[in-house]
Amino acid sequence: MNNINQFLQWVEESDNIVFFGGAGVSTESGIPDFRSADGLYNQKYDYPPETIISHTFYMQKPDIFFKFYKEKMIYPEAEPSTTHKVLAALEKAGKLKGVITQNIDGLHQKAGSRNVIELHGSVLRNYCEKCHKFYDVNAIMEKQGIPCCDCGGRIKPDVVLYEEGLDDTNIRSAISLIKNADLFIVGGTSLGVYPAAGLIDYYRGDKLVLINKSPTPYDSKADLLISDALGKVFSEIKI
């Protein structure tokens, strides 16, 4: 039995699936990742992208931060990929218990997924740092320069910047999902960003499936390794 067939059999047999995904889930929706050859880290800017989207830079040079953020981090026209749609269908069928994502694009919810843990937040949510009024993504896109609230406070995207910690509630929820999964699918992530990548260590089952086009530090720990595009693999799942 080849790896794809084994994977499909496990999906068929499981009713407690958990999916952990990264940028590769959304590259098929036209959203660039960070680390591939044409990713953000390999483009030329006055500052490295990881510097621009850090908390320190956000505080010190908010004008440059928001220019980069609006141009490179928000993709309002993006539509869910095959992977997004299949995951939503698996949840609707009662087989998938939750999605844990490192992405900030909101495409899992747009596809219909309900139980989504956004480890790094979402570009769709924004709030005033002063009065905590909520704003949608249009408030960021439509305001010139540094977006400000009616009260005068700065509007901050609800995304986890470099140097900022992950939400404790999200971490606990993710650990609970992973610990209880009978099939744990990890896909479209280089597993190089911590502490998010370290969550995989909480899985204690024997059906860890790792789907990624390039090698990851966790390849040797996978019970099933599939080196292929996520969309191609997920398109084989029939629900």
Side-chain angles (χ1 to χ4, degrees):
M1 180 179 288
N2 66 33
N3 284 7
I4 297 288
N5 286 339
Q6 179 66 79
F7 172 62
L8 296 176
Q9 181 179 320
W10 283 356
V11 171
E12 177 68 26
E13 295 171 348
S14 300
D15 61 3
N16 192 340
I17 303 171
V18 173
F19 179 84
F20 178 98
V25 181
S26 293
T27 52
E28 293 167 357
S29 295
I31 298 178
D33 63 6
F34 275 56
R35 291 174 174 77
S36 66
D38 56 352
L40 290 179
Y41 281 176
N42 290 303
Q43 298 180 29
K44 302 301 180 186
Y45 304 100
D46 293 338
Y47 302 90
E50 62 267 38
T51 297
I52 298 175
I53 52 176
S54 69
H55 179 81
T56 297
F57 197 93
Y58 168 77
M59 296 300 292
Q60 294 177 347
K61 300 180 185 294
D63 53 337
I64 301 175
F65 169 88
F66 277 106
K67 183 176 187 299
F68 177 88
Y69 181 80
K70 285 192 272 191
E71 290 178 356
K72 298 298 182 182
M73 306 298 287
I74 303 176
Y75 293 84
E77 305 304 320
E79 293 295 330
S81 66
T82 296
T83 304
H84 291 115
K85 294 173 183 176
V86 173
L87 287 168
L90 285 170
E91 182 185 39
K92 189 174 182 180
K95 297 176 72 63
L96 182 86
K97 301 308 179 189
V99 168
I100 304 163
T101 181
Q102 296 171 283
N103 297 336
I104 58 175
D105 49 50
L107 288 179
H108 283 292
Q109 291 92 329
K110 194 171 185 178
S113 290
R114 295 180 178 276
N115 190 17
V116 182
I117 298 173
E118 296 172 312
L119 293 176
H120 296 149
S122 172
V123 298
L124 304 182
R125 299 188 301 269
N126 307 273
Y127 63 92
C128 173
E129 294 179 309
K130 187 176 180 181
C131 73
H132 305 292
K133 180 181 177 181
F134 175 87
Y135 286 89
D136 65 16
V137 68
N138 294 326
I140 298 290
M141 296 301 290
E142 293 170 359
K143 291 179 181 289
Q144 297 296 316
I146 301 169
C148 289
C149 176
D150 298 334
C151 77
R154 183 166 59 190
I155 300 172
K156 184 182 188 296
D158 188 14
V159 299
V160 179
L161 304 177
Y162 283 103
E163 304 168 346
E164 295 180 344
L166 302 186
D167 179 80
D168 286 341
T169 301
N170 282 340
I171 290 292
R172 286 194 296 269
S173 298
I175 289 172
S176 177
L177 277 175
I178 292 168
K179 279 184 172 180
N180 291 305
D182 59 9
L183 172 58
F184 187 30
I185 306 170
V186 179
T189 171
S190 63
L191 295 174
V193 177
Y194 287 85
L199 291 172
I200 293 175
D201 293 329
Y202 286 94
Y203 181 61
R204 295 291 181 261
D206 58 1
K207 293 185 179 69
L208 170 59
V209 180
L210 185 50
I211 308 170
N212 203 53
K213 288 193 286 189
S214 56
T216 81
Y218 281 80
D219 285 4
S220 62
K221 297 185 179 183
D223 298 297
L224 194 62
L225 184 63
I226 302 175
S227 301
D228 212 337
L230 266 178
K232 181 180 176 183
V233 176
F234 270 76
S235 67
E236 298 287 335
I237 297 175
K238 308 304 178 189
I239 306 161

